[in-house]
Amino acid sequence: MVVGYGGRRIIMENNDTSYYGRILIHALATYYPDNYYILYSPENKPNKRLTTLINSTSVRVKFPRNHIHNKRRWYTHNGVVRSAKAHGVNTFHGIDDGIASGFNGSSFPTVFTMTDPLFKGASNWLERMQMQRRARKACRIAKRVIALNEVDRQVMIDHYHLNPDNVEVVYPCFFDGCDDSVPDNMFDIMRNKYHLPEKYILYKGRFNNEDNLVEAMKLLHELRDSKISIVMLGYRTDYFDHVIKEQAHDLHVFHRFKQVDKVHHADLTAVVKMAQAVIIPNTDRSRDCYKLINAQRTGGLVICKDSAKAREFGGDGAIYYDDFRDGAEKLSDVLENENKKAAILKAARDNSERFSGKILADHMIHIYRSVLMHRRLYQQ
């Protein structure tokens, strides 16, 4: 994904799946609607993820002209640079997907964000190597490099040999729907609609080996309250069918196990509020930290794997555990003590104030203005 700023312009590939990219654009368009944001895409095809963004009056999508045959090259080389200049773009911001090579050697204000500095989410080692190579080139081109947290900032400085003064932390924001209120009568409706158990721990995400779901099942087994179940939101995978379900059988908790393919966005807040806790068994990735701040803002009790990144995002508003026995003990203690639970939920709500869309938009606009001012001073 890419962002540009002139009226202020955001440039993003239309097949982008980056949650960070979408919340960034939404925050900018919401709190700075007088600016003008452009999404450049090499392919003119439908994308449900961007529908709500495109409906905003300050967001537009641009594609290469029909006579351009190599549209991917247009997006990564000089074509998108010429289009950006023609459309009056003042600042270009790349997110993960790199920065077009045509900006190399120019004084054009460019910003680059890496949501996953080492690209651990790549499907194989070759793709990871290619993405790191593009990121390294983008870091050389960019006038400012952005990390999503202090842990990633240090990784970027060490791995890509960056000047620490040129790397800045800009935290993501929680999803706007987290603040939605839920009428009391909706809880019974949601329970019947999705066939939810009376008491449950909620997991939302992918069902893969790196998500550490086996440990979540073991934690469930060790809880002192044997009436608590686990509800997993996500689409089934081979790993789910052959590992997670077998684990549930082996631990004798299959009767306390519920899988739901999908919960509508409008219903998710109620489902989170109904849960005894929201569990995040892996906190090494950015997408898991998004879950953490969203759950805190919604009002869920968060229990997550202890890590420096988790504590940076969660503050005092979460339960951190080292292994499943430690997690089960800590969660049981909190669920049995209403005062402890209330204190953590209050700390979570207070902590979530750091991740508002307004703060994200203000910080990003400040960076755009600073690199734009730097160019003007340079030209003088």
Side-chain angles (χ1 to χ4, degrees):
M1 157 168 176
V2 194
V3 181
Y5 162 95
R8 254 60 88 171
R9 327 283 173 152
I10 301 267
I11 307 145
M12 179 171 66
E13 188 173 353
N14 196 28
N15 64 1
D16 175 76
T17 58
S18 167
Y19 173 81
Y20 175 79
R22 296 196 300 276
I23 60 174
L24 171 61
I25 296 170
H26 179 72
L28 289 169
T30 299
Y31 295 102
Y32 291 87
D34 294 337
N35 299 325
Y36 191 44
Y37 306 92
I38 297 177
L39 315 182
Y40 283 109
S41 171
E43 298 180 0
N44 187 354
K45 62 182 182 181
N47 189 330
K48 293 180 180 179
R49 294 185 179 93
L50 299 182
T51 301
T52 56
L53 297 176
I54 296 170
N55 288 339
S56 171
T57 57
S58 57
V59 180
R60 294 289 183 272
V61 180
K62 300 291 183 181
F63 307 100
R65 295 181 179 179
N66 291 331
H67 71 273
I68 298 176
H69 299 292
N70 193 335
K71 293 178 171 53
R72 186 68 196 177
R73 183 176 177 80
W74 168 89
Y75 182 73
T76 58
H77 291 75
N78 292 327
V80 74
V81 179
R82 288 193 292 268
S83 295
K85 291 179 178 179
H87 294 137
V89 171
N90 287 346
T91 305
F92 192 90
H93 182 172
I95 301 181
D96 281 343
D97 207 35
I99 295 179
S101 59
F103 289 111
N104 192 20
S106 73
S107 61
F108 199 100
T110 49
V111 179
F112 180 58
T113 295
M114 274 186 280
T115 62
D116 179 9
L118 300 180
F119 298 96
K120 295 179 181 178
S123 58
N124 53 66
W125 68 269
L126 179 59
E127 181 184 359
R128 184 180 300 112
M129 183 178 66
Q130 292 172 340
M131 295 176 76
Q132 289 186 16
R133 185 167 62 243
R134 288 199 298 268
R136 185 170 286 106
K137 182 174 71 173
C139 287
R140 290 197 299 267
I141 298 173
K143 305 300 186 289
R144 190 72 55 84
V145 180
I146 296 173
L148 302 191
N149 54 78
E150 292 292 346
V151 176
D152 284 353
R153 177 179 181 272
Q154 194 58 51
V155 170
M156 291 161 62
I157 292 170
D158 295 340
H159 187 79
Y160 296 98
H161 308 292
L162 304 179
N163 181 354
D165 295 336
N166 196 40
V167 186
E168 191 165 346
V169 173
V170 179
Y171 290 112
C173 67
F174 53 77
F175 177 62
D176 280 353
C178 296
D179 281 329
D180 293 345
S181 59
V182 180
D184 292 338
N185 66 326
M186 284 298 296
F187 294 116
D188 289 334
I189 294 173
M190 292 300 104
R191 196 178 302 280
N192 293 329
K193 180 177 180 179
Y194 296 108
H195 307 289
L196 299 174
E198 186 66 27
K199 295 194 292 186
Y200 61 89
I201 297 171
L202 180 68
Y203 169 81
K204 180 180 181 295
R206 302 175 184 177
F207 300 151
N208 297 318
N209 180 44
E210 60 269 20
D211 291 289
N212 212 11
L213 295 179
V214 169
E215 186 167 61
M217 300 300 296
K218 292 179 179 178
L219 188 151
L220 174 69
H221 177 260
E222 295 292 326
L223 284 177
R224 292 199 288 267
D225 188 347
S226 60
K227 294 182 179 179
I228 295 178
S229 302
I230 188 166
V231 173
M232 293 190 171
L233 302 186
Y235 293 104
R236 291 170 59 174
T237 62
D238 289 340
Y239 181 81
F240 176 84
D241 288 332
H242 297 107
V243 178
I244 301 302
K245 290 177 71 173
E246 284 188 16
Q247 185 71 38
H249 278 294
D250 293 342
L251 293 171
H252 306 290
V253 294
F254 194 76
H255 62 290
R256 300 164 59 191
F257 179 80
K258 171 74 176 177
Q259 182 261 333
V260 180
D261 284 341
K262 187 176 182 181
V263 169
H264 194 277
H265 277 298
D267 301 336
L268 189 56
T269 299
V271 173
V272 172
K273 287 180 179 293
M274 292 164 60
Q276 299 292 301
V278 176
I279 187 167
I280 306 174
N282 185 356
T283 52
D284 290 332
R285 303 164 302 187
S286 294
R287 66 170 180 260
D288 299 301
C289 294
Y290 304 149
K291 297 176 192 176
L292 197 161
I293 59 178
N294 283 339
Q296 284 188 335
R297 189 66 181 182
T298 303
L301 177 65
V302 177
I303 176 167
C304 59
K305 188 75 172 180
D306 197 0
S307 69
K309 193 177 293 186
R311 289 187 179 269
E312 184 177 350
F313 278 92
D316 296 328
I319 304 170
Y320 305 98
Y321 67 91
D322 296 316
D323 57 52
F324 64 90
R325 290 187 179 87
D326 179 46
E329 186 69 21
K330 288 180 177 178
L331 181 57
S332 296
D333 288 343
V334 172
L335 293 179
E336 292 169 3
N337 189 320
E338 287 299 325
N339 291 333
K340 281 186 179 180
K341 181 177 179 181
I344 293 176
L345 291 177
K346 183 182 183 303
R349 185 72 180 185
D350 293 342
N351 179 69
S352 69
E353 297 292 341
R354 300 190 293 134
F355 305 103
S356 70
K358 181 68 164 61
I359 292 176
L360 171 61
D362 287 346
H363 199 164
M364 197 61 72
I365 288 295
H366 173 75
I367 290 174
Y368 294 160
R369 287 173 177 165
S370 67
V371 296
L372 186 58
M373 181 62 68
H374 183 270
R375 181 183 70 163
R376 289 170 178 167
L377 292 173
Y378 177 81
Q379 288 176 337
Q380 290 176 356

